[in-house]
Amino acid sequence: MAAQQGSRCEIELVIERTSTTQQNPRTNMRTIAQSSLLMSLNSLLTKFHAGYFRISLSLGGQALLWKTLSSVPTTDDKSNALRRVFHALHPTVFPILWSLALFILILLSLLYILRCLFFFKMVKAEFLHHVGVNYLFAPWISWLLLLESSPFMAPKTVPYLVLWWLFAVPVVMLDVKIYGQWFTKGKRFLSTVANPTSQMSVIGNLVGAQAAAHMGWKESAVCLFSLGMVHYLVLFVTLYQRLSGGDRLPVLLRPVFFLFFAAPGVASLAWESIVGSFDIASKMLFFLSLFLFTSLICRPTLFRRSMRRFNVAWWAYSFPVTMLALASTDYAQEVKGTISHILMLCLLALSFLICLSLTLFTFLNSKMLLPDNDPIANLVIQFPVAD
């Protein structure tokens, strides 16, 4: 009898749950959808990090490249054929490219803001990582690049000035924190934390200097330029002598070695914006960038293991080549020689092909954008943060 009563109770409970489910199917479906959405968002935010701003960095560089080419007056010289093509495509392609770069940057920024709000410990762990901290400059560099290439805003207007301050101040604040750790007492000496991604801090100062020079703020531009170049010299010597743990860089992040020639390339553009011409100093920096680029592409085995499977780190190839291509356009415009124009055409074509290829790879491998073995996404395990 007791067993029969127990089974009756269970049957009644099942009937009640079934009737409740049948009465509110929409509510249950909505609850399931909300829970699955929250789980997907949590998974996305835990795997997302500042390294994904490599995408907006590359697109912003491409937008600046298209604006530069379209603003150069066309001539009848056959060596300027590609430049005339860019000028002809400008009314349609450039605004679309700039709008796409803006949309991607806004989307990435919103995701990172959510990560800061709900997973602040992971952001703090990212700040403590010798690679992750350097990509905290990437969002602000991306915004500065889009500000410079904006088709809707002139450099010497009030909105441009306000936005420059909004994007440049965080770069200086990060400078004070990171550069201060390099020469003061502590566990984060430059010789122990320096790696190729450390040059992102230098690039941030140089891009800020270039944007300030476009406004006519020569003193601010020189200040940021000198701050970036002095630390670049120290950093370059440290990395060149292999005093740091260059071998500590994960294999998947080896594409960031291209940042070696990105910094002098951006420096040549920034100095040209300050002095108003592509002078000897700009040419020296351009030649240094070109030499480092040649040295890296002559060593394909360095990147072979990192190219076996698609990773968001591949986007590190695009921005440095774009900056070198930008410098080559100014160099060709200054020199006006056949060799300089051939070099410009080759670098422009390479920059465009790399960006286009990476865009296609990203769309075709969208499921691989958030891998489980990302070297930066697992920072909490490597660098636990105390409550």
Side-chain angles (χ1 to χ4, degrees):
M1 293 292 294
Q4 291 179 355
Q5 290 178 356
S7 61
R8 287 178 182 176
C9 292
E10 292 177 358
I11 293 173
E12 291 174 357
L13 285 173
V14 171
I15 293 174
E16 289 178 358
R17 291 177 180 176
T18 305
S19 61
T20 304
T21 305
Q22 292 176 350
Q23 290 175 1
N24 301 309
R26 294 181 180 179
T27 304
N28 291 335
M29 290 178 63
R30 191 179 305 167
T31 304
I32 294 173
Q34 290 177 352
S35 61
S36 62
L37 180 62
L38 288 175
M39 290 177 63
S40 301
L41 182 61
N42 287 338
S43 177
L44 173 64
L45 295 179
T46 53
K47 295 181 180 180
F48 185 78
H49 53 79
Y52 285 84
F53 284 95
R54 299 184 188 100
I55 301 175
S56 60
L57 201 63
S58 302
L59 295 177
Q62 280 292 317
L64 184 60
L65 176 62
W66 278 78
K67 182 180 181 180
T68 302
L69 290 173
S70 61
S71 62
V72 175
T74 58
T75 65
D76 294 330
D77 190 353
K78 293 181 179 179
S79 60
N80 285 325
L82 182 61
R83 193 175 295 175
R84 291 199 300 272
V85 172
F86 274 90
H87 193 273
L89 293 175
H90 167 257
T92 55
V93 176
F94 171 61
I96 294 175
L97 177 61
W98 189 87
S99 301
L100 174 64
L102 178 63
F103 172 76
I104 295 297
L105 182 54
I106 291 175
L107 178 62
L108 294 176
S109 300
L110 290 176
L111 287 175
Y112 204 80
I113 291 173
L114 291 176
R115 178 179 168 90
C116 293
L117 292 175
F118 298 106
F119 298 96
F120 183 73
K121 289 185 178 181
M122 291 185 177
V123 177
K124 189 174 181 180
E126 192 174 346
F127 184 80
L128 296 175
H129 193 261
H130 65 287
V131 174
V133 65
N134 298 309
Y135 274 104
L136 295 178
F137 286 91
W140 311 110
I141 299 174
S142 302
W143 283 112
L144 286 169
L145 289 173
L146 286 184
L147 180 64
E148 287 185 67
S149 60
S150 174
F152 312 110
M153 194 181 303
K156 296 184 179 180
T157 58
V158 175
Y160 190 102
L161 170 63
V162 172
L163 290 175
W164 182 85
W165 276 106
L166 183 64
F167 303 145
V169 169
V171 173
V172 177
M173 293 174 62
L174 286 170
D175 286 341
V176 173
K177 180 64 176 179
I178 294 176
Y179 292 159
Q181 293 175 339
W182 287 359
F183 65 86
T184 57
K185 295 182 179 180
K187 298 180 180 180
R188 302 180 65 82
F189 288 116
L190 178 61
S191 58
T192 59
V193 300
N195 62 86
T197 62
S198 301
Q199 296 170 101
M200 289 294 297
S201 60
V202 175
I203 294 172
N205 288 283
L206 297 175
V207 173
Q210 186 180 9
H214 289 164
M215 292 191 300
W217 286 26
K218 294 293 180 67
E219 298 301 319
S220 300
V222 171
C223 175
L224 289 175
F225 182 86
S226 60
L227 182 63
M229 288 307 297
V230 168
H231 287 92
Y232 172 71
L233 293 175
V234 177
L235 181 61
F236 183 77
V237 172
T238 304
L239 294 172
Y240 213 87
Q241 293 179 336
R242 302 184 65 86
L243 296 178
S244 67
D247 54 347
R248 296 169 55 217
L249 195 68
V251 174
L252 291 177
L253 295 181
R254 287 196 177 167
V256 302
F257 273 87
F258 268 47
L259 291 175
F260 269 107
F261 65 87
V266 177
S268 66
L269 296 170
W271 184 250
E272 181 200 16
S273 300
I274 293 173
V275 300
S277 64
F278 206 80
D279 60 1
I280 298 297
S282 295
K283 292 178 182 178
M284 292 172 62
L285 291 167
F286 169 67
F287 289 140
L288 174 60
S289 178
L290 187 62
F291 168 76
L292 294 174
F293 168 71
T294 306
S295 300
L296 285 173
I297 63 175
C298 290
R299 293 165 174 82
T301 55
L302 179 64
F303 309 99
R304 184 175 56 189
R305 293 177 60 188
S306 62
M307 299 296 293
R308 292 177 179 175
R309 191 176 183 183
F310 175 76
N311 189 277
V312 72
W314 286 16
W315 279 94
Y317 291 122
S318 179
F319 174 74
V321 177
T322 302
M323 292 297 103
L324 182 59
L326 262 171
S328 70
T329 59
D330 294 339
Y331 175 73
Q333 187 179 358
E334 178 70 22
V335 175
K336 294 182 175 65
T338 303
I339 297 178
S340 63
H341 279 87
I342 292 175
L343 177 63
M344 177 196 70
L345 294 177
C346 293
L347 290 174
L348 287 176
L350 181 62
S351 172
F352 175 73
L353 288 175
I354 290 177
C355 187
L356 180 62
S357 301
L358 288 173
T359 303
L360 293 176
F361 271 111
T362 303
F363 279 112
L364 294 175
N365 300 276
S366 57
K367 295 182 179 180
M368 301 172 61
L369 281 175
L370 298 168
D372 295 328
N373 61 340
D374 192 291
I376 301 180
N378 301 320
L379 296 178
V380 179
I381 299 176
Q382 300 178 15
F383 291 86
V385 181
D387 292 332

